[in-house]
Amino acid sequence: MDYKLELVIIPVSDVDRAKDFYVTNAGFRLDVDHRAGEDFRIIQLTPPGSACSITLMRNAEAAGTVQGLHLVVSDIDEARADLAGRGVEISEPFHFGPDGQTPGHHPQRESYGTFMSFSDPDGNGFLVQEVTSAQPRA
């Protein structure tokens, strides 16, 4: 039995502002923008190459509470250049060492070892993780 994660709800204070950020700045594909009345709107977006999408939900009280969603890329430097070029405020690459979060790429550039981070306009936070070769997890 497969259990596939296909949709994550992202609470935002302004769906139009968030939609613009995810499409224009983060480069997500707009899949659905459907409205049924004043209080019901579905905006579904998908990161490039992803099987999992996000749906924006207007919820000012919860806006910015989603943290740690991972976007996996094969080249973190290329991804950083792309996102920064689109206007995303993105961190420099970092890794986790004996003293915790440490600036710079993983010293051996191990798969799953280098990260960077960014947030949407409401503060929902994403990590971008470099995976150069899929390895079975123990």
Side-chain angles (χ1 to χ4, degrees), residues 28-95:
F28 287 26
R29 179 185 70 233
L30 176 63
D31 300 319
V32 175
D33 186 347
H34 174 74
R35 186 185 302 259
E38 276 301 307
D39 292 327
F40 183 80
R41 186 172 179 194
I42 295 172
I43 298 177
Q44 182 172 318
L45 307 126
T46 303
S50 180
C52 185
S53 300
I54 64 170
T55 290
L56 304 177
M57 176 183 73
R58 185 180 51 173
N59 183 340
E61 294 80 28
T65 60
V66 173
Q67 299 297 316
L69 293 177
H70 281 57
L71 297 172
V72 174
V73 298
S74 60
D75 184 322
I76 205 153
D77 296 318
E78 184 179 326
R80 186 174 193 292
D82 176 56
L83 291 167
R86 294 170 167 277
V88 174
E89 290 184 31
I90 190 153
S91 76
E92 293 292 330
F94 61 88
H95 65 281

Side-chain angles (χ1 to χ4, degrees), residues 2-9 50-53 69-70:
D2 290 337
Y3 292 88
K4 298 178 181 178
L5 180 63
E6 293 195 5
L7 187 67
V8 175
I9 306 298
S50 180
C52 185
S53 300
L69 293 177
H70 281 57

